[in-house]
Every structure is written in C-alpha cells, then in structure tokens.
Amino acid sequence: MAYVMFQYDRPTDTHRWNDYNQQVRDWIAQLLQIPGAVSFVAYRTSDGASPDTITMLEFRTVEDTRKAQASDQLRKVLDGLQSVGVTAQVLLVERSPFTPEPIPA
C-alpha cells in the first residue's frame, strides 16, 4: 500500500477555523474521488504538537499515488486548504514490509 500523506496545522484564527470546518468534509470527498483512492484517515495530535493534523490517503500502488500527487483533484484540495491559511506538507509514503499484522483480539 502507498499513501499521500498531508501534515499541517489547522487554522487557529476563528474565521479561518470556521471556514476550514465547513469545507473539510467536501475536501475528503474530493480526495476519495481521485482514481485509485482506497481509503482516507486523519489523525490529530493529542498534545497539540505541530503538525497537529496528519492525514493519509491510501492507494494500492506507488504509481497510483504518484498520479494522485500530480492530479488536478489533489491540487484543488491543497488550494482550498491554502485559502483558509493552511500550508500542508505532502509526502508520498509506502507501507514498510516490516510492519506487523494487527494483534488479534
């Protein structure tokens, strides 16, 4: 599996915070419409450390991930984030072969 990972700090200014919250669901939907997208998950730091938000858009292959990074759909989401004062660092990562399977319950 391969991922497009975004790392950023959510806006702290009240107006931008409200704009961010109103648009975030649409951005997620747009990301999931990128060809090859499998899933999306977001994490927030519990202690407020920066970057305070990390998201991962999952793809089956590294090639799909590279295509997504160059896509207009991804650029539109990044532009939307920037419009509310968020500058996201974008990384392409792939799952390590040394990641163990989850422990069964």
Side-chain angles (χ1 to χ4, degrees):
M1 295 296 195
Y3 305 84
V4 175
M5 182 180 359
F6 297 85
Q7 298 176 324
Y8 61 88
D9 290 316
R10 291 182 314 278
T12 54
D13 168 270
T14 304
H15 176 71
R16 288 185 168 186
W17 173 258
N18 289 334
D19 289 346
Y20 172 88
N21 284 336
Q22 289 174 1
Q23 296 180 61
V24 71
R25 282 184 168 76
D26 290 337
W27 292 328
I28 293 168
Q30 290 170 27
L31 290 170
L32 287 168
Q33 290 177 11
I34 295 174
V38 174
S39 69
F40 176 88
V41 65
Y43 301 93
R44 294 181 180 171
T45 59
S46 58
D47 62 0
S50 181
D52 64 17
T53 302
I54 300 163
T55 70
M56 299 181 74
L57 181 61
E58 181 181 22
F59 294 84
R60 286 190 178 85
T61 68
V62 173
E63 183 58 32
D64 285 344
T65 307
R66 288 187 180 122
K67 289 177 185 175
Q69 184 184 29
S71 73
D72 287 339
Q73 294 108 314
L74 190 90
R75 174 57 40 210
K76 287 179 184 177
V77 171
L78 290 172
D79 289 346
L81 285 166
Q82 194 168 33
S83 76
V84 296
V86 171
T87 302
Q89 179 181 7
V90 179
L91 302 168
L92 299 184
V93 297
E94 61 183 319
R95 188 170 176 162
S96 168
F98 300 107
T99 303
E101 292 300 315
I103 298 171

